[in-house]
Amino acid sequence: MTSQTMSFLAPPKPWLCQGDIFASVPILEFIESNVYGPAMLVTFGCVIDKRNNAGKSRVSHLSFLPVRSVASLQPDQQRLIRMSPSELRPYAALYLGQLGGLGESYVNLVEPFSLPASMFSVRMHDFSMMLPEERDPMRLVSQANGDRLHALTDDHLDLFLNKWRAHWTGVTS
């Protein structure tokens, strides 16, 4: 199976999860820019679902990586990212494969940015019917600007976390 036919994506869950890929969020590349584009949520799950004593979400910001086109890379970088879509190296790039409407894509781990959670009108929601085995079935949902297209598969999310750790701390095991 080639990197272009492997599936690294799954449908998003009803709640926000690290690795969710949004169709359009403000991409903060330039001061005072109003550029919107696709981005992957990278806020850790344990942060996303934290609540205060009143049961309200404690998250104040959500962190993202802009989703980029593989075609925008130099040919040698394109080959490298396509040849190793499930490998730890290169640490700074995570291959996403074909994203509907976006084409062949990746994220660059060097480009994180945060947006106020209030932009997404987040709130906690009870998913006990879907998560009967969970001790705490409360999950964060967005009520605005939450047009998620995909989510990473569990395996690709694990790869992302390993790349994130390797890139930012140098720890590879």
Side-chain angles (χ1 to χ4, degrees):
M1 186 181 288
T2 68
S3 63
Q4 292 182 330
T5 60
M6 288 179 169
S7 179
F8 306 111
L9 306 172
K13 294 181 171 108
W15 52 87
L16 295 177
C17 296
Q18 185 178 41
D20 283 352
I21 298 171
F22 286 69
S24 182
V25 299
I27 305 293
L28 304 178
E29 295 186 281
F30 308 103
I31 301 295
E32 299 181 30
S33 75
N34 259 345
V35 176
Y36 279 70
M40 184 175 89
L41 182 64
V42 296
T43 304
F44 287 106
C46 59
V47 172
I48 291 174
D49 293 329
K50 289 272 191 251
R51 292 179 288 157
N52 62 23
N53 290 338
K56 304 269 188 214
S57 172
R58 294 174 96 179
V59 69
S60 62
H61 287 77
L62 295 172
S63 297
F64 295 88
L65 291 171
V67 172
R68 304 286 186 199
S69 169
V70 171
S72 69
L73 295 169
Q74 296 297 319
D76 60 327
Q77 294 172 314
Q78 290 180 29
R79 273 190 303 281
L80 177 62
I81 197 170
R82 287 179 181 136
M83 288 176 49
S84 55
S86 299
E87 302 297 321
L88 186 60
R89 290 181 183 249
Y91 300 142
L94 179 72
Y95 185 77
L96 299 174
Q98 292 289 335
L99 296 181
L102 300 174
E104 190 179 21
S105 304
Y106 78 103
V107 290
N108 184 339
L109 279 64
V110 190
E111 302 180 302
F113 65 94
S114 295
L115 295 171
S118 60
M119 288 183 69
F120 299 89
S121 298
V122 296
R123 68 175 176 81
M124 298 304 291
H125 182 78
D126 186 348
F127 283 97
S128 54
M129 296 300 282
M130 289 181 71
L131 304 167
E133 303 298 317
E134 291 283 326
R135 185 178 61 82
D136 183 5
M138 299 298 286
R139 298 290 188 272
L140 191 68
V141 296
S142 64
Q143 300 177 106
N145 300 312
D147 51 347
R148 296 173 296 139
L149 301 171
H150 305 283
L152 296 182
T153 61
D154 290 344
D155 287 344
H156 218 54
L157 180 58
D158 286 344
L159 177 62
F160 165 73
L161 293 171
N162 288 331
K163 283 178 174 271
W164 189 262
R165 181 175 48 248
H167 176 73
W168 292 107
T169 69
V171 176
T172 58
S173 58

